[in-house]
Amino acid sequence: MDLTKLTIVQAGQGLRKKEFSAVELCQAYLDNIEAKNKDVFAFLTIIKDLAMQEAKKADDLISSGAKLPALAGIPMAVKDNILVKGVKCTAGSKILEDYMAPYDATVVSKLKKQGVIILGKTNLDEFAMGSSTENSAFGPTRNPHNLSRVPGGSSGGSAAAVAGDMSVFALGSDTGGSIRQPASFCGLVGLKPTYGAVSRYGLMAFASSLDQIGPITKTAEDAKIVFEAISGKDKLDSTSVSMESSPEKMIKPSQIKAGIPREYFIKGIDPEVEKAVKSAIEKYEKAGVKIIEVSLPNTQYALPAYYIINPAEASSNLARYDGIKYGLSKEGKALLDVYLETRGQGFGAEVRRRIMLGTFTLSSGYYEAYYKRAQKVRTKIIQDFKNVFNKVDVLFTPTCPILPFKIGEKIEDPLSMYLVDVYTVSVNLAGLPALSLPIGQVNNLPVGMQIIGQPFEDIKILELAKAYGA
Amino acid sequence: MLSKKEVQHIAKLARLSLKTKDEAKFQKELSSILDYIEQLKKVDISNIEPTSHPFSIKNVVRPDEAESKRYNLLESAPKTKDGYIKVKQILK
């Protein structure tokens, strides 16, 4: 049996039936990382010894006959902007190259309580800013389906780790598509939970009104297991909320009305991607889902509004990297020089671009024209979603307008990279849950379809994805 | 189009040192992004309230109770002295 092909459910059954031990399972993944990470570069840090220690503990628990949590003994990977105590956390940035995490993120402590085995920390666009993982200060991650292509981003290392069978599942973070788009590019399920469903404590703040942590997995069932393990109110994140626990209901496709927003199928989409998404929609229709064409009239304004709000929040969040409290610190004659040199040399090009953009749109004389206007457009985008959700339960859209592109293809033109996020950013502006579902391949490259749900109906979209057979 | 002087001004506000050779690069890139953003001017936003948070949550409070576990965050600081973070002189 190839242990590195297993889902969470399959690995959990194997451990319970003692078909293999947690140590054997962990070793199989570490061997695969050893063999593949040179080429794929999914992991920035591998924590071999600690992982094996934890695997031994899991085996002890199994042989004790105690009731096992769903994730006990399951090897996993964590995006390197989420803190794991005592392990380096770089955010893919030179400014945090040697930074040691002093505590666990809430999601990490929840998963540790279940007995997961953390294999390591995964590569990302610096501070999660990007759509290809090429913005990492430590080098790009490659798509395991085709090594000349990007894995998507910013959670590209997490997606590549799972797609390359180097981890059973991984955590990512999604500010404008950073879980869904790499899941789509790597043929996986990726869930961006409802804003507030998962605690952000211990996630490096990027754009706080948009950021959410979520799972990247091989199946929708696995995504649901991880989501249930990490969600819930946390007193350390005052924006987190407790989900009203609805009793486990099987969702029948025939009970679902799905909207197809016409603004998501216009110029700019690869015709092959469009074809694949339309045939997935047909498959749902055959299974009994009622398909209704709907309109989200402000869709075209979501991306420009996002690229005001996101850099504005980022510019203030990243003010903390000042060379004083932690991280890189450059010498300077006066305090101002310490700031200027630490930040000027420690941040990469995309991070500096966004900090400058955000600083500009928040600066005196421009605030009303840019930031305030974008906040009002955000209100209109939320209103659009509210209107269509009076008529339908969920929305079906492509996750990304294009197939995984070549490494180097877009990196020199920042605006062309931003356009990759066109179908994913509205969801973050509105705080909605959404997932990317693998629906097949075009030219041997994976394609994903996005399912968008209403606030706190994360389980419903996961069940619907399960019904597809993913 | 932003001027090079404006780019330098923004960089200084953002506390980023900027090499002369990077001025033109950021001037071009920031200007093209700002041109793209211009299309928001077409949206009718009269009588629309701004959104800063996706859901309307009210102030969230909890008792401010000290916990036994403390992290030694000073260990992460580049320079410390007598249990404090050391910085450059700010007053002459």
Side-chain angles (χ1 to χ4, degrees):
Chain A
M1 182 175 3
D2 184 353
L3 298 183
T4 62
K5 298 279 180 204
L6 302 177
T7 64
I8 294 172
V9 175
Q10 291 164 342
Q13 280 167 357
L15 288 170
R16 280 171 185 75
K17 289 185 190 155
K18 301 201 171 65
E19 288 166 13
F20 44 82
S21 69
V23 166
E24 285 165 339
L25 185 66
C26 179
Q27 190 61 54
Y29 281 96
L30 289 172
D31 290 348
N32 230 6
I33 294 171
E34 179 86 33
K36 288 185 176 175
N37 199 48
K38 285 188 298 295
D39 295 326
V40 176
F41 199 50
F43 285 88
L44 292 172
T45 305
I46 301 156
I47 41 179
K48 228 183 244 175
D49 297 344
L50 200 63
M52 287 304 275
Q53 280 172 30
E54 293 302 316
K56 284 191 192 91
K57 278 192 216 162
D59 279 334
D60 290 344
L61 190 69
I62 293 165
S63 46
S64 79
K67 195 173 180 299
L68 289 187
L71 293 165
I74 305 293
M76 65 160 300
V78 180
K79 186 177 182 180
D80 208 21
N81 61 349
I82 300 171
L83 305 191
V84 177
K85 188 179 180 180
V87 178
K88 252 192 346 182
C89 196
T90 68
S93 180
K94 291 275 177 205
I95 214 162
L96 291 176
E97 193 167 5
D98 300 311
Y99 177 69
M100 275 298 171
Y103 57 90
D104 278 328
T106 296
V107 289
V108 170
S109 36
K110 283 184 169 214
L111 291 172
K112 280 183 174 174
K113 268 191 203 122
Q114 287 223 4
V116 295
I117 315 297
I118 299 175
L119 299 167
K121 304 296 296 292
T122 57
N123 200 12
L124 67 160
D125 287 295
E126 186 175 358
F127 285 103
M129 298 179 189
S131 311
S132 68
T133 317
E134 291 167 287
N135 288 328
S136 168
F138 307 111
T141 298
R142 292 170 183 274
N143 191 323
H145 291 271
N146 181 331
L147 293 177
S148 68
R149 307 268 166 170
V150 303
S154 65
S155 310
S158 288
V162 180
D165 299 327
M166 292 178 271
S167 182
V168 183
F169 77 96
L171 289 182
S173 66
D174 190 315
T175 304
S178 282
I179 288 174
R180 290 161 284 157
Q181 184 256 18
S184 169
F185 277 15
C186 290
L188 302 165
V189 174
L191 171 73
K192 197 291 283 184
T194 304
Y195 185 86
V198 176
S199 167
R200 292 179 293 113
Y201 180 72
L203 167 69
M204 287 178 184
F206 165 15
S208 306
S209 81
L210 308 166
D211 299 338
Q212 269 291 284
I213 297 171
I216 295 178
T217 57
K218 289 184 172 167
T219 65
E221 173 80 54
D222 280 4
K224 190 178 157 201
I225 292 170
V226 180
F227 173 70
E228 284 174 338
I230 62 176
S231 55
K233 184 162 175 61
D234 176 16
K235 67 173 182 178
L236 300 171
D237 174 3
S238 59
T239 63
S240 66
V241 289
S242 68
M243 309 260 292
E244 280 168 38
S245 58
S246 54
E248 284 277 315
K249 265 185 293 188
M250 283 300 289
I251 309 264
K252 286 202 198 89
S254 56
Q255 301 165 324
I256 299 286
K257 278 186 278 187
I260 314 297
R262 71 173 74 96
E263 292 82 2
Y264 283 63
F265 295 88
I266 50 165
K267 67 174 174 15
I269 186 170
D270 181 328
E272 294 290 330
V273 171
E274 182 172 357
K275 217 170 100 187
V277 172
K278 288 206 163 141
S279 75
I281 293 171
E282 268 172 41
K283 194 175 157 188
Y284 268 115
E285 195 169 18
K286 279 189 191 132
V289 173
K290 192 152 186 266
I291 305 291
I292 300 161
E293 191 183 91
V294 296
S295 172
L296 297 162
N298 291 291
T299 296
Q300 63 166 308
Y301 302 116
L303 198 68
Y306 175 84
Y307 275 101
I308 293 175
I309 291 166
N310 166 307
E313 293 190 22
S315 73
S316 65
N317 269 329
L318 270 65
R320 72 192 66 185
Y321 303 103
D322 57 3
I324 305 294
K325 300 182 290 294
Y326 46 81
L328 180 77
S329 184
K330 290 280 176 191
E331 287 295 328
K333 269 181 271 164
L335 187 63
L336 181 63
D337 303 310
V338 176
Y339 293 153
L340 290 172
E341 292 312 314
T342 300
R343 293 164 59 80
Q345 295 179 43
F347 289 133
E350 178 60 22
V351 176
R352 282 182 288 158
R353 203 149 40 228
R354 293 214 200 178
I355 290 175
M356 289 171 73
L357 199 57
T359 302
F360 175 71
T361 60
L362 289 174
S363 65
S364 171
Y366 298 99
Y367 175 86
E368 294 273 337
Y370 288 100
Y371 185 66
K372 195 86 176 276
R373 174 170 285 268
Q375 284 187 304
K376 290 184 176 180
V377 174
R378 184 177 187 178
T379 305
K380 294 193 77 154
I381 288 159
I382 294 172
Q383 199 55 54
D384 277 359
F385 280 114
K386 281 190 178 148
N387 291 341
V388 298
F389 282 134
N390 285 327
K391 286 176 257 173
V392 298
D393 304 295
V394 298
L395 296 168
F396 290 159
T397 81
T399 305
C400 185
I402 53 172
L403 292 165
F405 46 92
K406 288 206 171 91
I407 289 178
E409 196 178 317
K410 293 185 184 290
I411 197 73
E412 294 303 325
D413 180 3
L415 189 58
S416 75
M417 190 72 88
Y418 293 176
L419 293 172
V420 172
D421 303 336
V422 66
Y423 297 144
T424 45
V425 295
S426 309
V427 163
N428 300 73
L429 290 172
L432 304 172
L435 59 80
S436 182
L437 170 71
I439 53 166
Q441 297 202 334
V442 171
N443 306 326
N444 296 315
L445 295 169
V447 184
M449 182 172 91
Q450 178 170 239
I451 305 180
I452 305 172
Q454 302 183 51
F456 306 106
E457 295 201 339
D458 306 60
I459 297 292
K460 184 185 271 181
I461 59 170
L462 287 164
E463 288 289 343
L464 196 57
K466 259 168 72 180
Y468 188 82
Chain B
M1 184 88 172
L2 292 170
S3 69
K4 281 189 183 161
K5 208 176 146 195
E6 282 173 303
V7 173
Q8 275 296 356
H9 175 65
I10 298 164
K12 198 174 170 200
L13 285 177
R15 297 291 185 265
L16 295 166
S17 63
L18 191 62
K19 294 195 182 81
T20 328
K21 71 171 170 65
D22 286 338
E23 272 176 16
K25 175 182 144 75
F26 282 115
Q27 181 189 22
K28 187 175 138 264
E29 290 170 351
L30 294 175
S31 298
S32 89
I33 297 164
L34 290 172
D35 286 346
Y36 174 73
I37 286 168
E38 281 297 301
Q39 57 177 302
L40 287 189
K41 295 220 165 112
K42 289 189 283 185
V43 188
D44 178 10
I45 50 161
S46 47
N47 303 317
I48 301 281
E49 289 297 314
T51 297
S52 53
H53 189 88
F55 306 119
S56 53
I57 53 171
K58 300 240 161 51
N59 289 341
V60 177
V61 294
R62 63 177 166 88
D64 185 18
E65 287 160 350
E67 287 181 22
S68 57
K69 76 177 169 189
R70 284 179 63 195
Y71 308 113
N72 189 0
L73 296 177
L74 282 173
E75 278 176 6
S76 311
K79 285 188 182 135
T80 58
K81 190 181 175 185
D82 305 331
Y84 292 94
I85 289 174
K86 194 177 162 190
V87 296
K88 287 270 170 194
Q89 185 179 348
I90 45 171
L91 296 172
K92 287 201 174 126

